[in-house]
């Protein structure tokens, strides 16, 4: 099997080629100013497509692919699994029917390459996987429902990995998984389903390097009035320019930690506040399973920061064992999904919208 794997993120494009039982991969970082020249997510299509095209030409120019798999985007809510990229999915990804995010390009770019190579195009465990229990949907105001938008791919892959480590199946355990990255999503995994999780894009939960998390309604109203901005402008701010970007003006944790070591008390307090909000969210999710958890998993890019992990661990270690699995591992997770689909070990699902 020869498989092309595509994972577009906010400021990166990760690519993998699986050939002859070997995986080569690359993480192409994009300067923020480079990305911000594009008015919309879909405007980035050719820019990212050409990066991947050059990667293929530099590594396997004559290779043909059995399948292309991309990161799932903000389509209509679906259950977990592997989905074939069809016309309805492309339509919804291009329209951004559930929001604008770089992950929307995953299925679109996968389909574009699949047409060139005359093979299947898939996505797997998109960010809108919705397995939330009915009680978790209530927001407190009729007509507004809590949404399941989170790092489903890494959540589920890492939970399965840790479950295997402790000699259990994913369907047997209760884990709280915290994905710590540009956005932060924290979910309770119970018997194979994520029954509650915060909307990590623009909704609730802790603030993160780029996102605001939950905000008080009165504060939002005053902010709109004081700054004379529209709802559309506010949406961009809370998902791209909030969190650490708002408080510190940087998301570089290495530099921030250096400043803290040099007695920058303000940055120390901001990072402590983020860790506190993460810990609060973790603790609150124990209520979903009456406190019966098999462990807490800390994953994502920020899990490389021992400083941050220690701050969180001090507040949640009383709940149970903490497993630290740094990084996102999304290329490997997508690859496994594509292999299972090509081997007919799982059923490929059709997206209906």
């Amino acid at each position: 099997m020869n498989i092309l794997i595509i994972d577009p993120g906010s400021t990166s494009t990760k690519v993998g080629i699986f050939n002859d039982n070997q995986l080569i991969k690359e993480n192409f970082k994009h300067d923020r100013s480079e990305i911000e020249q594009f008015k919309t997510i879909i405007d980035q299509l050719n820019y990212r497509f050409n990066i991947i095209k050059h990667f293929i030409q530099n590594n396997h120019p004559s290779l043909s692919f059995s399948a292309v798999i991309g990161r799932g985007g903000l389509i209509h809510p679906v259950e977990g699994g592997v989905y074939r990229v069809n016309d309805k999915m492309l339509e919804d990804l291009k329209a951004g029917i559930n929001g604008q995010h770089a992950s929307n390009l995953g299925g679109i770019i996968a389909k574009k390459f699949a047409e060139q190579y005359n093979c299947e195009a898939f996505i797997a465990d998109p960010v809108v996987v919705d397995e939330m229990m009915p009680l978790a949907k209530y927001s407190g105001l009729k007509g507004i429902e809590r949404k399941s938008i989170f790092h489903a791919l890494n959540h589920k892959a890492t939970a399965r990995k840790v479950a295997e480590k402790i000699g259990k199946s994913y369907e047997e355990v209760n884990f709280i998984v915290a994905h710590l990255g540009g956005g932060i999503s924290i979910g309770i995994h119970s018997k194979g389903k994520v029954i509650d999780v915060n909307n990590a894009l623009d909704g609730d939960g802790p603030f993160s390097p780029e996102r605001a998390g939950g905000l008080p309604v009165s504060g939002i109203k005053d902010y709109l009035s004081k700054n004379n901005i529209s709802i559309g402008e506010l949406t961009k701010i809370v998902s791209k320019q909030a969190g650490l970007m708002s408080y510190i003006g940087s998301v570089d944790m290495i530099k921030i930690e250096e400043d803290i070591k040099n007695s920058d008390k303000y940055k120390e307090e901001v990072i402590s506040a983020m860790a506190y909000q993460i810990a609060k969210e973790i603790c609150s999710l124990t209520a979903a399973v009456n406190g019966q958890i098999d462990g807490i998993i800390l994953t994502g890019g920020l899990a490389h920061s021992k400083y941050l992990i220690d701050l969180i661990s001090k507040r949640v270690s009383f709940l149970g064992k903490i497993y630290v699995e740094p990084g996102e591992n999304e290329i490997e997770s997508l690859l496994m999904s594509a292999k299972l689909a090509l081997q007919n070990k799982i059923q490929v699902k059709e997206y209906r919208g």
Side-chain angles (χ1 to χ4, degrees), residues 130-137 146 148 150 156 170 174-175 187-197 285 287-290:
D130 186 351
E131 300 165 341
M132 288 171 70
M133 60 182 178
L135 292 181
K137 293 280 188 174
R146 291 185 67 233
S148 176
F150 70 111
K156 284 183 170 283
Y170 175 56
N174 291 335
F175 282 144
I188 176 71
H189 296 236
S190 180
K191 315 305 181 193
K193 294 188 181 297
V194 185
I195 61 173
D196 197 357
V197 64
L285 287 174
V289 290
N290 301 317

Side-chain angles (χ1 to χ4, degrees), residues 209 243-245 247-272 274 302 305 307:
L244 297 187
M245 277 299 296
Y247 287 115
I248 296 176
S250 171
V251 297
D252 186 343
M253 275 298 292
I254 295 174
K255 178 64 168 61
I256 292 170
E257 286 183 36
E258 286 176 0
D259 292 341
I260 291 172
K261 287 177 184 176
N262 291 324
S263 302
D264 190 321
K265 295 299 181 184
Y266 173 69
K267 290 178 182 176
E268 180 180 0
E269 184 171 273
V270 172
I271 297 301
S272 295
M274 185 172 73
L302 289 182
S305 169
Y307 181 79

Side-chain angles (χ1 to χ4, degrees), residues 18-34:
F18 179 76
N19 168 246
D20 196 24
N21 286 322
Q22 290 186 329
L23 174 65
I24 59 169
K25 58 182 181 177
E26 189 70 51
N27 183 7
F28 296 96
K29 297 282 189 180
H30 311 308
D31 188 82
R32 188 172 293 276
S33 61
E34 211 174 6

